[in-house]
Amino acid sequence: MSDTPFGFGLPPEEPEDGDEGKKKDQQSGGEQGPANPIGFGLPGVGGFGGPGADNPFAAMFGSLNPTDLGAAFQQLGQMLSYEGGPVNWDMAKQIARQTVSQGTPDGVKDASVGPAERSAVQEAVRLADLWLDDATSLPSGAGTAVAWSRAEWVEATLPAWKELVDPVAERVGAAMGDVLPEEMQAMAGPLIGMMRSMGGAMFGTQIGQAVGVLAGEVVGSTDIGLPLGPAGKAALLPLNIEAFGKDLGVPADEVRLYLALREAAHQRLFAHVPWLRSHLFGAVDGYARGIKVDTAKLEDVVGQFDPQNPEQLQDALQQGMFQPEDTPEQKAALARLETALALVEGWVDAVVHTAAKPRLSSADALRETLRRRRATGGPAEQTFATLIGLELRPRRLRDASRLWASLTDARGVDGRDALWAHPDMLPTATDLDDPDGFVHREQLDFSELDKMLGEAAGGPGGKPNLKKGDTGDDADGAEGDGTE
C-alpha cells in the first residue's frame, strides 16, 4: 500500500519506475522529487513543474507578458471561486487534455483515428468475440467496437474516475472543515471555503495529470481491471497499441487481436455479471470511508495557511496527512477490493490464453509481456495508487489465473463461470494461496448451492442464469411476464 494514499509524488529515494520516473519527475517539479510533483503552476504558465513551479506567483509576475498575466489571474480566479464537490473535475479534464496534447515522453503526439484504424479495431473485436465463444459460457458483452484517440479516452473515462476518486477526496475535504472548534468555524468560514476551493483544484490538478499520462499508455478501456468506459462498448487505442507492440517482434495484427481478446473478455464479464461493477466500486468506497486524517497536521496547516502560498496545502497532502485506518474493517475492505480485482484479471488472463493459444503463435509471449507490464508497475497499478491510494499485488494475478485454470480442468467452462453468479461464491484471498484446495473443497457443496441459487432466481434445473443469450438484465428479479 502506498505511504501517501492519494499518491502525491513518489518517495524521493528512488522513483518506482527508475529512469522514466526521474524523467517524469524532472518534467513535473525539477530535481526535488515529490516536494512538488506536478508543480502548482497554472496551465499555460511555464507548464506544470516548469520555471516558477516552486513559486507560481513569482512566475506569474516575473516572467509573463500582460496577456499571459491576465490568463493567469483568470485561472486563479476560477480556482478560488470553485464551489463544487471535493474535486474540481473541470480542471481535471482541462489538465488531462493538455497533458495528452503535449504527447508522451517519446515524442508521440495524439492523433485522430482514421477510417482504416477504426475498421481494423472493429474487425479485431469481432474475431475476438468469435474465439471467446469457445473459451467461456458468458456471451458477448460488446454491442459496439470503437477506436479511440487518447483525448477520446479521457473524455469517455472521466465519469468512472469521478466515481472512484470522489469518496477519498470527500473524506479529506470534510476533515478540512472539522479541524477548527465549532465556535470558530463560522468566523473562519471564508478561509475554510478558500481551502476547500484550493483543495478541489489541487486534487483536480493531480488527477488530471495522472489521467492524462495514463491516456498515453493504456490500450483499451479496461486496463486497470475496472469498466472505465460506457457499458457495452469495447474500445481500443490504435496509437498506443502501435507503441506497445513496437519492440516485441510480433506482427501488428496479432498484437491488436490479442489486446482485442482481453478487451472483449472484460466486456463479457462486466456485461453478464450485473453485480460486479457495484461490488468493485463499493469496495473502493468502503476503503475510502476508513481513511483517517492526521488532524494535528491539518490544524497546523489551517493555522499557518497563507493565501499567497497555495502550494503549502499541496505539500501537506504530499507528506502523508491522511492514512488508512488500521482496523479490521479497513483491512477487510482492502482485501475485498484487491482480491476482486485479482479475480477479474485472473479470469481474463485464463480465458484469453485458452482462446489465443491454439490460434496465435505469439500468445505465450504476449501473455508474459502483459503480466510483466503489470508486475513492474505498469499504468494500472501506478494510476490506481495515485488516485485512491492502493497498489495491487501483482502476484495475485498469477495466483488467480492458476485458480481459474484449475477450476476449468475440474468443472469445465460452465462450472467455472457459474461462480460469477453471486459474490459469495467467489474465492477469497486465502483461496488464492491454495487454488487446488478451493477447487476440491468447494466441489462437495457446489452443486447444492448452485441448485439453491438457481431455484431462487427461477432458473431451470437449478442453473444460474449465466448462459449465452442472457444479458443478466433480469438479475434484480424484475417482475413481468414478458408481454407488453
Side-chain angles (χ1 to χ4, degrees):
M1 186 183 303
S2 173
D3 290 334
T4 53
F6 216 79
F8 284 86
L10 299 175
E13 299 82 38
E14 182 178 342
E16 291 179 353
D17 48 356
D19 292 337
E20 286 300 313
K22 294 177 183 177
K23 292 177 184 177
K24 294 177 184 176
D25 199 40
Q26 291 169 359
Q27 293 172 353
S28 60
E31 298 178 356
Q32 298 302 316
N36 196 354
I38 56 177
F40 202 67
L42 301 177
V45 185
F48 289 96
D54 291 336
N55 190 342
F57 289 95
M60 288 183 206
F61 292 104
S63 61
L64 300 183
N65 60 43
T67 302
D68 289 338
L69 183 60
F73 274 122
Q74 182 181 13
Q75 185 70 33
L76 181 60
Q78 292 174 354
M79 291 163 55
L80 295 177
S81 62
Y82 174 71
E83 297 180 351
V87 178
N88 188 331
W89 286 102
D90 290 337
M91 178 170 285
K93 177 179 176 180
Q94 178 185 1
I95 292 173
R97 292 293 300 262
Q98 290 176 344
T99 303
V100 164
S101 69
Q102 293 169 3
T104 49
D106 59 3
V108 178
K109 300 283 188 178
D110 192 22
S112 299
V113 180
E117 292 171 318
R118 295 187 188 278
S119 177
V121 165
Q122 291 169 355
E123 178 61 22
V125 173
R126 184 194 66 80
L127 184 57
D129 259 336
L130 287 176
W131 289 4
L132 287 172
D133 282 341
D134 295 331
T136 174
S137 62
L138 302 183
S140 174
T144 58
V146 295
W148 283 341
S149 67
R150 293 166 179 171
E152 288 173 322
W153 182 90
V154 168
E155 295 279 353
T157 61
L158 272 180
W161 290 120
K162 185 177 189 296
E163 190 173 351
L164 281 168
V165 175
D166 270 352
V168 178
E170 181 68 40
R171 183 73 180 89
V172 177
M176 288 182 177
D178 295 338
V179 296
L180 294 179
E182 185 175 347
E183 62 273 12
M184 294 181 60
Q185 289 188 18
M187 297 174 59
L191 176 60
I192 294 175
M194 181 182 293
M195 289 184 62
R196 285 179 172 168
S197 295
M198 295 300 294
M202 290 173 190
F203 282 127
T205 299
Q206 178 72 10
I207 293 163
Q209 179 79 356
V211 171
V213 171
L214 185 61
E217 300 174 344
V218 295
V219 294
S221 71
T222 55
D223 278 30
I224 70 166
L226 291 172
L228 296 180
K233 185 173 288 188
L236 295 176
L237 283 71
L239 185 62
N240 292 355
I241 290 175
E242 180 182 354
F244 172 81
K246 183 177 180 181
D247 299 320
L248 296 182
V250 177
D253 56 343
E254 289 196 20
V255 174
R256 184 191 308 112
L257 184 51
Y258 192 87
L259 296 175
L261 281 166
R262 290 183 52 82
E263 177 74 9
H266 277 103
Q267 294 294 335
R268 288 186 180 223
L269 193 59
F270 287 114
H272 300 292
V273 183
W275 55 264
L276 183 56
R277 187 184 190 279
S278 60
H279 179 76
L280 290 168
F281 280 70
V284 174
D285 183 71
Y287 174 83
R289 291 180 187 278
I291 285 177
K292 64 179 179 180
V293 177
D294 186 342
T295 55
K297 184 177 291 186
L298 189 54
E299 285 173 1
D300 290 340
V301 174
V302 173
Q304 302 173 15
F305 181 69
D306 179 2
Q308 294 187 4
N309 188 20
E311 67 268 27
Q312 178 187 61
L313 183 59
Q314 183 177 347
D315 290 341
L317 292 172
Q318 296 164 16
Q319 294 167 10
M321 181 163 49
F322 58 102
Q323 298 288 343
E325 291 273 12
D326 188 19
T327 63
E329 293 79 10
Q330 180 72 349
K331 292 178 180 178
L334 177 61
R336 175 187 171 209
L337 179 60
E338 290 184 334
T339 301
L341 284 169
L343 290 173
V344 168
E345 288 295 282
W347 183 87
V348 168
D349 180 77
V351 167
V352 167
H353 185 68
T354 298
K357 177 69 172 176
R359 300 176 174 96
L360 294 179
S361 59
S362 58
D364 288 333
L366 289 170
R367 183 190 201 189
E368 188 60 27
T369 297
L370 286 162
R371 283 180 165 187
R372 290 182 179 181
R373 188 187 194 211
R374 176 65 61 88
T376 56
E381 289 76 23
Q382 290 192 3
T383 298
F384 214 58
T386 297
L387 298 184
I388 61 174
L390 297 174
E391 292 182 354
L392 307 182
R393 290 173 292 177
R395 69 181 182 86
R396 299 282 85 180
L397 166 61
R398 293 180 184 268
D399 294 340
S401 182
R402 282 196 297 270
L403 185 144
W404 290 118
S406 296
L407 285 168
T408 306
D409 294 339
R411 306 180 187 177
V413 168
D414 290 345
R416 176 201 65 200
D417 293 345
L419 285 176
W420 292 107
H422 192 277
D424 290 343
M425 297 172 66
L426 289 178
T428 64
T430 302
D431 295 324
L432 292 180
D433 295 326
D434 182 19
D436 291 335
F438 172 81
V439 171
H440 297 302
R441 181 178 69 253
E442 292 296 316
Q443 185 73 45
L444 298 174
D445 300 322
F446 178 79
S447 60
E448 188 62 30
L449 182 58
D450 187 356
K451 180 180 179 181
M452 291 170 61
L453 287 171
E455 290 173 350
K463 293 289 186 181
N465 291 326
L466 286 173
K467 55 183 181 295
K468 288 183 171 61
D470 184 355
T471 64
D473 293 337
D474 299 329
D476 292 330
E479 296 179 356
D481 56 6
T483 60
E484 292 292 328

